[in-house]
Amino acid sequence: MPVVSSEVAVVIPVYKPFSALSANERSSFRQCLRILQNYKMILVCPQSLDTSSYTENEEGQEKMMRIEKFPDKYFKNTNGYSKLLLSKKFYRRFIDAKYILIYQLDAWIFRDEVVYWCNQGYDFIGSPIFENFESNTNFEFSYALNGGFSLRNVASSIKILSRIQPLRCLHFLVKIMSFKQIKSLAEVPVFIRFKEKFRIENITYLRALLGGIHVNNEDLKWSWAAETFSDFKKPQPEVAMQFSFEFHPSFLLKKNNNKIPMGCHAWEKYEPDFWIEFIPDTSISDVGNTDKN
C-alpha cells in the first residue's frame, strides 16, 4: 500500500529554547512548519527544556505540535544524540508513523516531496557524502548518507536494531574464543543461521557495525546497516542527491541537471554563498565560509 501524508511524521530535534536559536535556525523552523504543514509535527527535546516558545506562535496561540522528551544526557553532545538515534526506544515513540523525516534546524526544505520519497521503497535516505569530504578536490561519492535531514522507515529501523544485540553477543563470544583460532563470525557455525535469518550480505560492514571501527556518527552506522542487510535499503548517491544536498552543493547542482533537491543540510557550513540565491530568508553575514573548495 502506498504511504500517505497521515502516515508520516516530521521530527525536529532541539536542545535549547527558541529564544536561543540563531536567526537562521528560526527561519529553518518556520520554513519547516510552512512547507510541511500537512504532516504531524513532533518536537524531540531534553526532558528539562521548556517548549512553550516552540508550541506557541507570536500571538500566543497553540501550534499543533507533539512533544517527545528524552533524558537530557542525549542532547549534551553529538555522541549522546547518536546514541539516541541508534536506540529502539527512540523509534518506538513514532510507531504510529510509517516514516519519520528528521529535520535538524541547520536544514532547509524547498518543497514537499516527502510522500514521493516514502513510496520509493527505501528505509534510510539522506544527503550523499563524499570520500574524504574535507578534501578540496575529491568528488568521489562515498556509500554513506547524512542523517541531519533524512527520511527513515520506523518499522525497518526497529527491526535492524533488534538484530544488532544478538549479533553483538555472538561477536563478543567470538572474541572470547579467539584463543582457539576463531578469527571471525564467518568461522562460527551458528553464524550461518544468523546470516540467513537476518539477510546478512556483507560481513565487512557488519564487523564495522558491531564495533570493529570506532565511530559514533549514527548516520554512518545506518549507512553500514544498509550495506550489511539486504532488506534494509538506501538509495545510490545519484538518487540521494535528488533528495538533499550537503557537501559540495555547487558540484551536486550541476550533476543533478541544475535542479535543487527537496532539501539541504548544513548549508551554513558548506558553501553558504551558494545558497543565498535559494534561501532568501537567511543571512550569511555572521557565517564564515567553512567549505574548503
Side-chain angles (χ1 to χ4, degrees):
M1 291 287 291
V3 176
V4 296
S5 59
S6 61
E7 297 173 312
V8 183
V10 178
V11 173
I12 308 173
V14 297
Y15 62 94
K16 55 189 175 183
F18 189 80
S19 59
L21 296 178
S22 70
N24 288 341
E25 287 172 327
R26 293 186 194 189
S27 293
S28 172
F29 182 72
R30 295 187 182 108
Q31 177 77 349
C32 178
L33 298 187
R34 184 174 70 85
I35 298 294
L36 301 176
Q37 59 185 293
N38 294 326
Y39 301 91
K40 291 176 281 191
M41 288 285 170
I42 305 176
L43 205 68
V44 165
C45 62
Q47 195 70 45
S48 62
L49 185 68
D50 179 0
T51 59
S52 59
S53 55
Y54 286 95
T55 57
E56 294 178 1
N57 62 21
E58 286 78 2
E59 289 75 37
Q61 298 172 322
E62 286 288 318
K63 295 191 188 101
M64 296 297 292
M65 185 173 293
R66 191 169 109 200
I67 309 296
E68 292 292 347
K69 294 192 171 187
F70 293 90
D72 289 15
K73 65 180 180 180
Y74 292 119
F75 299 87
K76 292 186 182 299
N77 51 45
T78 303
N79 289 351
Y81 176 75
S82 286
K83 285 181 180 178
L84 180 61
L85 269 70
L86 288 165
S87 67
K88 284 190 284 187
K89 63 184 172 185
F90 177 78
Y91 296 94
R92 283 172 176 161
R93 293 282 187 97
F94 315 111
I95 201 67
D96 57 332
K98 286 188 177 180
Y99 280 86
I100 55 173
L101 179 73
I102 300 288
Y103 187 102
Q104 295 178 7
L105 292 184
D106 57 347
W108 191 269
I109 187 159
F110 300 100
R111 58 187 179 275
D112 177 13
E113 295 174 353
V114 177
V115 169
Y116 166 81
W117 285 106
C118 289
N119 285 312
Q120 298 310 297
Y122 299 113
D123 299 296
F124 176 62
I125 314 174
S127 311
I129 295 177
F130 294 84
E131 296 285 356
N132 303 315
F133 56 83
E134 297 292 357
S135 165
N136 293 341
T137 58
N138 193 338
F139 293 93
E140 261 187 69
F141 284 126
S142 163
Y143 60 86
L145 302 177
N146 180 268
F149 178 79
S150 58
L151 193 65
R152 306 174 189 223
N153 183 310
V154 175
S156 293
S157 299
I158 294 171
K159 172 187 68 180
I160 294 302
L161 291 170
S162 296
R163 293 176 183 177
I164 298 300
Q165 190 56 44
L167 287 168
R168 188 167 283 140
C169 290
L170 184 61
H171 186 60
F172 177 71
L173 287 174
V174 168
K175 281 187 173 182
I176 292 176
M177 297 170 66
S178 61
F179 66 91
K180 293 183 178 179
Q181 305 305 309
I182 297 175
K183 300 301 182 184
S184 72
L185 283 172
E187 296 178 40
V188 183
V190 72
F191 177 68
I192 301 302
R193 281 192 286 175
F194 276 102
K195 188 176 181 182
E196 293 175 355
K197 181 180 179 181
F198 290 164
R199 300 186 183 182
I200 297 168
E201 64 178 7
N202 192 312
I203 297 176
T204 299
Y205 285 105
L206 174 63
R207 189 180 300 114
L209 192 60
L210 297 179
I213 299 176
H214 184 67
V215 171
N216 293 316
N217 304 63
E218 58 89 19
D219 47 10
L220 182 54
K221 291 188 176 183
W222 283 116
S223 298
W224 285 342
E227 296 292 325
T228 299
F229 302 103
S230 62
D231 58 340
F232 189 77
K233 302 291 187 182
K234 65 177 176 62
Q236 292 299 310
E238 291 80 5
V239 175
M241 69 183 182
Q242 300 170 42
F243 174 83
S244 177
F245 292 174
E246 182 178 62
F247 305 105
H248 302 313
S250 56
F251 168 80
L252 288 175
L253 183 66
K254 293 176 184 176
K255 196 168 180 64
N256 199 39
N257 296 317
N258 291 313
K259 183 179 180 182
I260 288 292
M262 180 176 75
C264 66
H265 179 249
W267 68 270
E268 293 177 290
K269 187 175 181 181
Y270 300 104
E271 292 187 71
D273 290 323
F274 166 86
W275 289 112
I276 289 302
E277 177 185 350
F278 306 102
I279 310 179
D281 294 338
T282 57
S283 169
I284 64 165
S285 59
D286 60 347
V287 178
N289 190 337
T290 57
D291 192 22
K292 296 185 171 53
N293 286 336

PDB file of all heavy atoms in Angstrom, residues 40-54:
ATOM      1  N   LYS A  40       2.164  15.464  10.599  1.00  0.00           N
ATOM      2  CA  LYS A  40       2.295  15.540  12.056  1.00  0.00           C
ATOM      3  C   LYS A  40       3.649  16.135  12.384  1.00  0.00           C
ATOM      4  O   LYS A  40       4.671  15.696  11.847  1.00  0.00           O
ATOM      5  CB  LYS A  40       2.188  14.140  12.679  1.00  0.00           C
ATOM      6  CG  LYS A  40       0.811  13.516  12.599  1.00  0.00           C
ATOM      7  CD  LYS A  40       0.807  12.106  13.138  1.00  0.00           C
ATOM      8  CE  LYS A  40       1.368  11.133  12.098  1.00  0.00           C
ATOM      9  NZ  LYS A  40       1.152   9.710  12.461  1.00  0.00           N
ATOM     10  N   MET A  41       3.662  17.109  13.276  1.00  0.00           N
ATOM     11  CA  MET A  41       4.909  17.749  13.704  1.00  0.00           C
ATOM     12  C   MET A  41       5.240  17.279  15.117  1.00  0.00           C
ATOM     13  O   MET A  41       4.396  17.364  16.023  1.00  0.00           O
ATOM     14  CB  MET A  41       4.764  19.270  13.703  1.00  0.00           C
ATOM     15  CG  MET A  41       4.706  19.875  12.325  1.00  0.00           C
ATOM     16  SD  MET A  41       6.349  19.904  11.561  1.00  0.00           S
ATOM     17  CE  MET A  41       5.905  20.378   9.885  1.00  0.00           C
ATOM     18  N   ILE A  42       6.464  16.808  15.297  1.00  0.00           N
ATOM     19  CA  ILE A  42       6.889  16.304  16.598  1.00  0.00           C
ATOM     20  C   ILE A  42       8.208  16.952  16.984  1.00  0.00           C
ATOM     21  O   ILE A  42       9.196  16.867  16.243  1.00  0.00           O
ATOM     22  CB  ILE A  42       7.049  14.772  16.591  1.00  0.00           C
ATOM     23  CG1 ILE A  42       5.743  14.106  16.118  1.00  0.00           C
ATOM     24  CG2 ILE A  42       7.445  14.255  17.970  1.00  0.00           C
ATOM     25  CD1 ILE A  42       5.831  12.596  15.995  1.00  0.00           C
ATOM     26  N   LEU A  43       8.229  17.598  18.133  1.00  0.00           N
ATOM     27  CA  LEU A  43       9.436  18.193  18.663  1.00  0.00           C
ATOM     28  C   LEU A  43      10.105  17.179  19.594  1.00  0.00           C
ATOM     29  O   LEU A  43       9.477  16.666  20.518  1.00  0.00           O
ATOM     30  CB  LEU A  43       9.084  19.460  19.435  1.00  0.00           C
ATOM     31  CG  LEU A  43      10.167  20.525  19.581  1.00  0.00           C
ATOM     32  CD1 LEU A  43      10.472  21.155  18.230  1.00  0.00           C
ATOM     33  CD2 LEU A  43       9.719  21.595  20.574  1.00  0.00           C
ATOM     34  N   VAL A  44      11.367  16.854  19.337  1.00  0.00           N
ATOM     35  CA  VAL A  44      12.151  15.952  20.190  1.00  0.00           C
ATOM     36  C   VAL A  44      13.151  16.806  20.956  1.00  0.00           C
ATOM     37  O   VAL A  44      13.913  17.564  20.356  1.00  0.00           O
ATOM     38  CB  VAL A  44      12.870  14.892  19.341  1.00  0.00           C
ATOM     39  CG1 VAL A  44      13.961  14.200  20.144  1.00  0.00           C
ATOM     40  CG2 VAL A  44      11.871  13.861  18.839  1.00  0.00           C
ATOM     41  N   CYS A  45      13.155  16.675  22.281  1.00  0.00           N
ATOM     42  CA  CYS A  45      13.956  17.596  23.081  1.00  0.00           C
ATOM     43  C   CYS A  45      14.344  16.994  24.435  1.00  0.00           C
ATOM     44  O   CYS A  45      13.821  15.939  24.826  1.00  0.00           O
ATOM     45  CB  CYS A  45      13.180  18.889  23.292  1.00  0.00           C
ATOM     46  SG  CYS A  45      11.637  18.648  24.208  1.00  0.00           S
ATOM     47  N   PRO A  46      15.223  17.672  25.174  1.00  0.00           N
ATOM     48  CA  PRO A  46      15.585  17.198  26.511  1.00  0.00           C
ATOM     49  C   PRO A  46      14.411  17.301  27.485  1.00  0.00           C
ATOM     50  O   PRO A  46      13.528  18.150  27.329  1.00  0.00           O
ATOM     51  CB  PRO A  46      16.714  18.156  26.929  1.00  0.00           C
ATOM     52  CG  PRO A  46      17.157  18.852  25.693  1.00  0.00           C
ATOM     53  CD  PRO A  46      15.996  18.854  24.763  1.00  0.00           C
ATOM     54  N   GLN A  47      14.427  16.465  28.476  1.00  0.00           N
ATOM     55  CA  GLN A  47      13.371  16.436  29.488  1.00  0.00           C
ATOM     56  C   GLN A  47      13.200  17.798  30.158  1.00  0.00           C
ATOM     57  O   GLN A  47      12.086  18.212  30.495  1.00  0.00           O
ATOM     58  CB  GLN A  47      13.708  15.381  30.555  1.00  0.00           C
ATOM     59  CG  GLN A  47      12.548  14.990  31.450  1.00  0.00           C
ATOM     60  CD  GLN A  47      11.486  14.185  30.722  1.00  0.00           C
ATOM     61  OE1 GLN A  47      11.798  13.272  29.981  1.00  0.00           O
ATOM     62  NE2 GLN A  47      10.231  14.539  30.928  1.00  0.00           N
ATOM     63  N   SER A  48      14.292  18.510  30.343  1.00  0.00           N
ATOM     64  CA  SER A  48      14.260  19.760  31.113  1.00  0.00           C
ATOM     65  C   SER A  48      13.867  20.989  30.286  1.00  0.00           C
ATOM     66  O   SER A  48      13.681  22.070  30.845  1.00  0.00           O
ATOM     67  CB  SER A  48      15.635  20.012  31.745  1.00  0.00           C
ATOM     68  OG  SER A  48      16.614  20.155  30.722  1.00  0.00           O
ATOM     69  N   LEU A  49      13.739  20.844  28.978  1.00  0.00           N
ATOM     70  CA  LEU A  49      13.502  22.014  28.132  1.00  0.00           C
ATOM     71  C   LEU A  49      12.053  22.497  28.203  1.00  0.00           C
ATOM     72  O   LEU A  49      11.112  21.712  28.055  1.00  0.00           O
ATOM     73  CB  LEU A  49      13.857  21.693  26.674  1.00  0.00           C
ATOM     74  CG  LEU A  49      13.762  22.862  25.690  1.00  0.00           C
ATOM     75  CD1 LEU A  49      14.833  23.903  25.980  1.00  0.00           C
ATOM     76  CD2 LEU A  49      13.886  22.372  24.245  1.00  0.00           C
ATOM     77  N   ASP A  50      11.881  23.782  28.405  1.00  0.00           N
ATOM     78  CA  ASP A  50      10.564  24.414  28.320  1.00  0.00           C
ATOM     79  C   ASP A  50      10.260  24.642  26.838  1.00  0.00           C
ATOM     80  O   ASP A  50      10.942  25.414  26.163  1.00  0.00           O
ATOM     81  CB  ASP A  50      10.574  25.744  29.070  1.00  0.00           C
ATOM     82  CG  ASP A  50       9.238  26.477  28.994  1.00  0.00           C
ATOM     83  OD1 ASP A  50       8.290  25.962  28.356  1.00  0.00           O
ATOM     84  OD2 ASP A  50       9.139  27.591  29.551  1.00  0.00           O
ATOM     85  N   THR A  51       9.254  23.985  26.328  1.00  0.00           N
ATOM     86  CA  THR A  51       8.971  24.011  24.890  1.00  0.00           C
ATOM     87  C   THR A  51       7.882  25.016  24.490  1.00  0.00           C
ATOM     88  O   THR A  51       7.500  25.074  23.326  1.00  0.00           O
ATOM     89  CB  THR A  51       8.540  22.608  24.398  1.00  0.00           C
ATOM     90  OG1 THR A  51       7.377  22.197  25.128  1.00  0.00           O
ATOM     91  CG2 THR A  51       9.661  21.598  24.618  1.00  0.00           C
ATOM     92  N   SER A  52       7.402  25.796  25.447  1.00  0.00           N
ATOM     93  CA  SER A  52       6.274  26.688  25.140  1.00  0.00           C
ATOM     94  C   SER A  52       6.607  27.677  24.023  1.00  0.00           C
ATOM     95  O   SER A  52       5.732  28.038  23.230  1.00  0.00           O
ATOM     96  CB  SER A  52       5.854  27.445  26.409  1.00  0.00           C
ATOM     97  OG  SER A  52       6.942  28.203  26.930  1.00  0.00           O
ATOM     98  N   SER A  53       7.874  28.111  23.939  1.00  0.00           N
ATOM     99  CA  SER A  53       8.236  29.077  22.898  1.00  0.00           C
ATOM    100  C   SER A  53       8.199  28.452  21.502  1.00  0.00           C
ATOM    101  O   SER A  53       8.151  29.156  20.495  1.00  0.00           O
ATOM    102  CB  SER A  53       9.626  29.657  23.169  1.00  0.00           C
ATOM    103  OG  SER A  53      10.584  28.630  23.295  1.00  0.00           O
ATOM    104  N   TYR A  54       8.235  27.127  21.430  1.00  0.00           N
ATOM    105  CA  TYR A  54       8.115  26.432  20.145  1.00  0.00           C
ATOM    106  C   TYR A  54       6.647  26.165  19.796  1.00  0.00           C
ATOM    107  O   TYR A  54       6.277  26.172  18.622  1.00  0.00           O
ATOM    108  CB  TYR A  54       8.844  25.093  20.191  1.00  0.00           C
ATOM    109  CG  TYR A  54      10.347  25.187  20.152  1.00  0.00           C
ATOM    110  CD1 TYR A  54      11.089  25.190  21.321  1.00  0.00           C
ATOM    111  CD2 TYR A  54      11.022  25.268  18.944  1.00  0.00           C
ATOM    112  CE1 TYR A  54      12.476  25.262  21.302  1.00  0.00           C
ATOM    113  CE2 TYR A  54      12.418  25.344  18.901  1.00  0.00           C
ATOM    114  CZ  TYR A  54      13.132  25.339  20.087  1.00  0.00           C
ATOM    115  OH  TYR A  54      14.503  25.420  20.059  1.00  0.00           O
TER     116      TYR A  54
END
